[in-house]
Amino acid sequence: MTSSACPCCSGLPFETCCGPILAGAPAATAEALMRSRYTAFVRHDLDHVERTHAPEIREDFNRAEAERVAEECDWQRLDVLRATEEGDEGTVEFLIHFRRDGQDMRHHERASFRRIDGQWLYSAGEVNPKGEPRRVVKVGRNEPCPCGSGKKFKACCGR
Amino acid sequence: MEPRFACTACGKCCHGLLPLTLTDAVAHAVRFPLALVWTVVRSNAKSYDLATRLGTSVRLPNRKTVAVLIQPSAYLPNHFPCPALQPDNLCGIHSDKPSRCRTMPFYPYREEKDQADLLVPRKGWECDVSAEAPVVYRNHAILDRTNFDRERAELLEQAPVMRTYADYVLKYMPWIVNDLAKMAAAPAGGKLVTSLSSFLTATRRTDARELAAAQAPLMQAMAERTRTDPALADLHKNYAGWAKEMERLAQRP
């Protein structure tokens, strides 16, 4: 038996990548779930997309429209740009390349995921997300300097 | 001179897009292929305040706020006659016709005092505006206002539903705000069309399946009728896509 490459572009065979997740196994990470949801669109398996919605957005899912979109688009590639997880919260920023009506299109989204009872679920998405807000980390005077000099902050850049 | 007006039943206004009240759209779902039509009303427009009450306010990326009307509509190409228009140019459902048709030529999406120019027949229309026709509008007031008031009241009543829908669309199809911004910037404005299926999902209608079952064959028929005309390619694409959505919704358990 030959195994085919997974549509999610992981480089792994479908049988060991998104295959089990589409069959109902829990995704190990938010990113794995996101990839499997993309694969579900490619394979027109909208049941998987529907059952991996967090409860608060379940009613908002337009299954009829999603099925049509899945059918009408030629799904070309998924790029996962960034994936982070903190406890039961996950964020995956991704880019989907597809063709629709003969036009090359891109969908850029930063999606939020939540783990409930061991299952990662899609809970929200921001399309064309703005850049990450700038984080200002306050460094204590007696802490090591963030420049990496090994000196205390007050004796280095904080002077 | 007071504007006079009488309908001669020429049938010329019974063509193309027909904005409906939500009640009429639901009541006539077996007759009209339905879509939601979005129109931007800029803040300097005469009907801006009214439009914010009948529709919703949207903040654009350039930080300007516009009013947006979302009209449930019979989605027909401009030159297509109303499916209820008979060969003798009379209405086949006269006693049961939508509010929009009863109120013609007045338009409750505009203030009552701003209706005079609607009494001037459009090119090719055969409305009677001669001295024989009755006076229908005096001192910026509509003389027989029954239909106007009824349609306006229905629009005001449905406004919260339209706002729920607008919120849904802006959340789940956020790119639409860019289309609205383009329309706000274009001198001629423009219209944006969204599907009945997203409206049914957003408003959680319990009769979604019945409405979809009524719509599916209409969308299919319209897809057929618009298949060969390159000028109607965009409409054809919508009809064909929505036909599928309606079929799926209708089959949903």
Side-chain angles (χ1 to χ4, degrees):
Chain A
M1 198 182 97
T2 54
S3 58
S4 54
C6 190
C8 83
C9 307
S10 62
L12 300 169
F14 172 71
E15 287 77 12
T16 54
C17 183
C18 293
I21 303 174
L22 260 58
T29 60
E31 180 181 341
L33 180 75
M34 193 275 131
R35 288 179 171 278
S36 72
R37 284 168 55 89
Y38 169 78
T39 298
F41 266 92
V42 178
R43 295 173 64 96
H44 305 178
D45 181 358
L46 278 297
D47 280 348
H48 177 65
V49 175
E50 190 160 21
R51 71 171 169 254
T52 54
H53 279 138
E56 68 270 22
I57 60 162
R58 244 163 233 169
E59 291 280 294
D60 286 348
F61 179 56
N62 186 347
R63 171 80 184 243
E65 194 176 43
E67 290 199 5
R68 179 168 69 83
V69 170
E71 236 172 65
E72 286 180 359
C73 293
D74 177 12
W75 305 98
Q76 298 185 316
R77 198 174 85 238
L78 165 70
D79 293 331
V80 173
L81 306 178
R82 194 174 311 153
T84 56
E85 254 173 54
E86 232 179 283
D88 289 333
E89 303 284 330
T91 306
V92 182
E93 188 174 335
F94 59 90
L95 208 50
I96 292 173
H97 302 258
F98 62 102
R99 272 183 86 75
R100 192 177 187 186
D101 301 324
Q103 274 190 303
D104 284 316
M105 320 236 311
R106 286 183 347 167
H107 173 88
H108 181 192
E109 179 175 339
R110 182 158 58 216
S112 304
F113 296 83
R114 197 144 46 85
R115 188 159 49 188
I116 301 175
D117 296 334
Q119 302 276 351
W120 281 104
L121 300 171
Y122 173 82
S123 60
E126 189 191 349
V127 179
N128 299 328
K130 296 176 191 77
E132 280 283 328
R134 185 184 300 234
R135 277 188 210 167
V136 182
V137 180
K138 200 155 188 253
V139 185
R141 281 173 49 75
N142 287 315
E143 283 175 39
C145 188
C147 82
S149 65
K151 295 179 187 168
K152 283 187 178 179
F153 179 64
K154 68 181 177 190
C156 184
C157 301
R159 218 166 9 177
Chain B
M1 209 178 74
E2 286 177 321
R4 291 167 177 269
F5 187 93
C7 173
T8 59
C10 71
K12 298 282 165 57
C13 67
C14 306
H15 287 73
L17 204 66
L18 172 66
L20 298 164
T21 65
L22 186 53
T23 310
D24 283 335
V26 170
H28 294 278
V30 290
R31 187 165 286 122
F32 302 126
L34 299 171
L36 283 297
V37 176
W38 301 51
T39 319
V40 166
V41 180
R42 297 193 199 97
S43 60
N44 57 359
K46 276 187 209 163
S47 56
Y48 178 78
D49 289 336
L50 178 62
T52 59
R53 286 198 293 141
L54 299 179
T56 189
S57 297
V58 176
R59 202 170 140 92
L60 301 177
N62 65 7
R63 296 184 181 177
K64 281 188 181 148
T65 299
V66 289
V68 177
L69 291 173
I70 305 174
Q71 298 167 307
S73 302
Y75 183 62
L76 298 168
N78 287 337
H79 59 284
F80 272 42
C82 171
L85 187 65
Q86 300 178 150
D88 60 1
N89 279 336
L90 294 180
C91 177
I93 51 167
H94 184 69
S95 60
D96 191 29
K97 67 183 177 184
S99 269
R100 185 76 292 274
C101 313
R102 291 174 194 279
T103 314
M104 279 292 280
F106 296 117
Y107 191 56
Y109 292 89
R110 285 209 208 171
E111 297 291 358
E112 184 181 1
K113 61 183 187 318
D114 180 30
Q115 302 276 331
D117 59 320
L118 300 171
L119 295 168
V120 179
R122 284 194 227 165
K123 203 169 166 236
W125 292 15
E126 294 162 28
C127 324
D128 182 5
V129 291
S130 71
E132 275 84 67
V135 174
V136 291
Y137 191 62
R138 180 175 288 150
N139 298 328
H140 303 288
I142 298 168
L143 297 184
D144 178 0
R145 40 183 317 128
T146 319
N147 292 323
F148 182 89
D149 286 347
R150 186 172 86 153
E151 192 178 356
R152 170 73 69 77
E154 272 187 35
L155 297 175
L156 282 169
E157 198 184 329
Q158 77 190 31
V161 180
M162 293 301 150
R163 256 165 244 149
T164 302
Y165 180 52
D167 291 346
Y168 174 92
V169 168
L170 293 171
K171 184 173 171 193
Y172 288 101
M173 307 173 212
W175 53 88
I176 276 187
V177 83
N178 296 324
D179 296 334
L180 296 176
K182 264 185 228 155
M183 283 156 56
K191 290 187 186 308
L192 173 80
V193 183
T194 49
S195 69
L196 182 69
S197 113
S198 58
F199 179 80
L200 295 176
T201 305
T203 56
R204 317 254 195 276
R205 287 193 69 105
T206 50
D207 55 357
R209 215 170 354 134
E210 291 84 343
L211 290 173
Q215 286 283 295
L218 294 176
M219 292 294 181
Q220 249 157 10
M222 290 304 291
E224 275 309 310
R225 288 178 67 192
T226 52
R227 186 181 295 282
T228 50
D229 187 346
L232 302 179
D234 284 349
L235 281 96
H236 170 74
K237 206 178 74 189
N238 283 339
Y239 291 130
W242 296 343
K244 281 187 192 167
E245 288 175 27
M246 291 297 126
E247 277 157 30
R248 293 228 163 83
L249 268 179
Q251 287 161 11
R252 208 171 51 172

